[in-house]
Amino acid sequence: MGKWYAVMAKPRQERTAVSILGQAGIATYYPEVKESICVRGRRKVRLSGLFPGYLFARFEINRQYRMVSYCRGVKKIVAFGSVPAEVEPHFLDEIKSRLERQDAIQVPSFKQGEVVRISGGPLAGVRAVFESSLSRKERVVVLLRELYFQSRAEVKLSDIERYSEAV
């Protein structure tokens, strides 16, 4: 039984890599969350990767490195220098248990024009107006309205929260 490693998938091919590696007898884990999206004016829920572009695979590095690296859907095995990035099993167990307890982590969705507060990063504490999502909801555009000027900024989705008062 091998160790767990982080694997980078080719764009939008995480599920392909998981399937092919599974057929080869390699254990994989691709944690997914429910994401609320709007399609043609209707709200839908879809599954999306918790770590887009990455999955985890358990294999013996000396014996199965080439099989994993050249698998369809895999871009590379994540490494620091020449050392593949090992992932502690308890880290993956913690993710699994949190996802099971919550049925899935709900990614918050904001409406255009909604007032938000930036809760993390260099702009923490600043009120802003939500404008749009970028690149699979990892980053968002907000309009900053402080000190008599208005400016756009890109921030992480996880760094904003709903703000109850009007700006």
Side-chain angles (χ1 to χ4, degrees):
M1 176 117 12
K3 296 181 180 180
W4 284 97
Y5 296 94
V7 177
M8 180 185 283
K10 292 179 181 174
R12 293 174 299 284
Q13 291 191 29
E14 298 93 343
R15 289 183 184 100
T16 300
V18 166
S19 175
I20 302 293
L21 288 170
Q23 290 172 10
I26 294 175
T28 59
Y29 181 51
Y30 179 57
E32 294 180 301
V33 294
K34 289 181 181 176
E35 179 179 53
S36 177
I37 60 169
C38 190
V39 178
R40 296 185 185 139
R42 293 184 180 190
R43 280 262 165 238
K44 290 192 174 191
V45 176
R46 72 172 178 194
L47 287 176
S48 175
L50 183 60
F51 306 107
Y54 295 90
L55 58 113
F56 304 100
R58 186 176 59 207
F59 58 95
E60 293 180 30
I61 198 79
N62 295 331
R63 217 169 44 87
Q64 297 172 308
Y65 182 86
R66 285 182 59 82
M67 180 189 308
V68 174
S69 335
Y70 293 105
C71 174
R72 187 170 23 146
V74 171
K75 186 171 185 177
K76 67 178 184 176
I77 297 171
V78 178
F80 299 109
S82 62
V83 180
E86 283 184 34
V87 178
E88 293 294 326
H90 67 81
F91 172 72
L92 297 177
D93 292 339
E94 181 67 24
I95 291 172
K96 286 177 190 175
S97 69
R98 285 185 183 201
L99 288 175
E100 286 170 4
R101 276 194 313 259
Q102 298 177 359
D103 185 33
I105 297 169
Q106 284 290 341
V107 177
S109 60
F110 298 95
K111 296 178 189 158
Q112 186 172 9
E114 185 174 349
V115 178
V116 296
R117 182 178 152 296
I118 300 173
S119 59
L123 298 172
V126 173
R127 289 178 296 163
V129 177
F130 181 82
E131 186 174 277
S132 62
S133 294
L134 301 173
S135 175
R136 296 190 61 181
K137 299 197 181 235
E138 294 166 5
R139 299 191 65 76
V140 295
V141 176
V142 293
L143 296 174
L144 304 174
R145 296 190 340 186
E146 295 286 325
L147 303 173
Y148 303 107
F149 76 94
Q150 185 170 329
S151 178
R152 278 186 171 80
E154 288 183 24
V155 297
K156 289 183 195 174
L157 175 61
S158 60
D159 284 347
I160 64 172
E161 59 188 23
R162 285 194 166 68
Y163 189 76
S164 58
E165 297 177 20
V167 236

